[in-house]
């Protein structure tokens, strides 16, 4: 639609406005290896049109980016993803997705800064790709949950085996998810919020 100067829309779109009942907003980051589904998750759960920085993969990445398990991937995040989801009348989460390729990890510090918690997405075909993300969060003191993104052709393992392979402490939640589905992504975020609440409660009750 064409607008003249007097008809240009001003301010945010109606659907992007925060609910008037909102009392608190929280920053959450979605991290993980290359091609694990971070952009997909932010897109699927965001109630506003998400900001993505995906660019077409080129020959420059050949021999640099490991495409094992994601051979069909044609685009990659080069900065960050951003979305928003209202969990209830009072709480809003701002979601930031990090780039997965190692050559863009220098951006992580800025994306993670100020985050209350994080979701670490993992792919059972490439579990080792989750370690750098978990290490970075632990170094920064950012609590997290681990979500196994169930790709159709990925092997399925018992939770106990996955915990052992990822060296996850018992207190860190491990859940299954389908990053393409709103309800599944929302459940992961609710699990994170419960984990943050339980951690805060345990800390406040400690002698």
């Amino acid at each position: 639609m064409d607008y003249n100067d007097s008809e240009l829309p001003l301010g945010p779109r109606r659907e992007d406005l925060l609910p008037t009942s909102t009392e608190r907003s929280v920053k959450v980051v979605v991290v993980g290896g290359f091609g694990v589904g971070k952009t997909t998750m932010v897109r699927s759960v965001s109630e506003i049109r998400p900001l993505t920085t995906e660019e077409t993969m080129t020959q420059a990445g050949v021999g640099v980016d490991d495409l094992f398990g994601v051979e069909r991937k044609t685009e990659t995040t080069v900065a960050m993803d951003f979305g928003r989801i209202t969990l209830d009348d009072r709480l809003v989460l701002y979601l930031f997705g990090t780039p997965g390729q190692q050559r863009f990890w220098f951006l992580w510090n800025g994306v993670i800064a100020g985050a209350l918690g994080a979701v670490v997405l993992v792919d059972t075909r490439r579990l080792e790709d989750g370690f750098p993300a978990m290490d970075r969060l632990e170094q920064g003191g950012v609590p997290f949950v681990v979500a196994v993104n169930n790709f159709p052709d990925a092997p399925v393992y018992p939770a106990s085996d996955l915990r052992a392979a990822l060296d996850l402490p018992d207190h860190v939640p491990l859940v299954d998810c389908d990053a393409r589905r709103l309800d599944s992504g929302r459940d992961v975020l609710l699990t994170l919020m419960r984990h943050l609440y339980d951690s805060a409660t345990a800390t406040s009750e400690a002698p």
Side-chain angles (χ1 to χ4, degrees):
M1 179 181 294
D2 294 328
Y3 295 95
N4 59 41
D5 290 342
S6 63
E7 296 174 327
L8 286 175
L10 301 175
R13 301 178 305 169
R14 183 187 302 273
E15 58 268 31
D16 292 344
L17 294 174
L18 280 172
T20 57
S21 58
T22 299
E23 296 179 1
R24 188 179 184 192
S25 59
V26 171
K27 179 179 180 180
V28 168
V29 292
V30 181
V31 302
F34 174 53
V36 79
K38 301 179 296 296
T39 298
T40 298
M41 183 175 182
V42 172
R43 281 177 171 167
S44 66
V45 302
S46 181
E47 64 198 14
I48 61 173
R49 183 170 55 191
L51 166 68
T52 61
T53 57
E54 286 203 311
E55 296 292 342
T56 301
M57 297 175 64
T58 66
Q59 286 296 113
V62 175
V64 178
D65 301 324
D66 181 6
L67 298 181
F68 175 74
V70 288
E71 292 84 359
R72 297 179 182 177
K73 189 171 176 60
T74 59
E75 294 182 322
T76 184
T77 298
V78 297
M80 69 173 188
D81 304 311
F82 172 77
R84 189 188 81 199
I85 180 172
T86 303
L87 286 187
D88 58 33
D89 291 341
R90 298 177 296 173
L91 178 62
V92 168
L93 303 186
Y94 289 105
L95 307 175
F96 291 80
T98 60
Q101 294 146 292
Q102 187 172 356
R103 55 196 168 110
F104 296 125
W105 284 359
F106 68 93
L107 297 168
W108 281 34
N109 286 341
V111 177
I112 293 175
L116 187 67
V119 173
V120 179
L121 275 179
V122 297
D123 178 350
T124 58
R125 297 168 298 182
R126 310 170 61 159
L127 283 177
E128 67 279 2
D129 289 356
F131 285 111
M134 291 188 288
D135 289 343
R136 185 72 66 90
L137 294 171
E138 288 173 347
Q139 292 168 8
V142 180
F144 61 88
V145 301
V146 176
V148 180
N149 192 9
N150 292 318
F151 288 90
D153 55 346
V156 178
Y157 301 105
S160 57
D161 290 352
L162 289 173
R163 280 193 173 276
L166 292 168
D167 195 23
L168 278 186
D170 290 340
H171 71 274
V172 176
L174 174 68
V175 296
D176 287 326
C177 78
D178 183 338
R180 301 167 298 180
R181 291 173 43 191
L182 167 60
D183 58 340
S184 184
R186 184 183 175 93
D187 285 347
V188 171
L189 294 171
L190 287 170
T191 298
L192 174 61
M193 291 299 103
R194 285 192 291 268
H195 176 52
L196 295 176
Y197 176 80
D198 291 343
S199 298
T201 301
T203 301
S204 65
E205 292 178 351

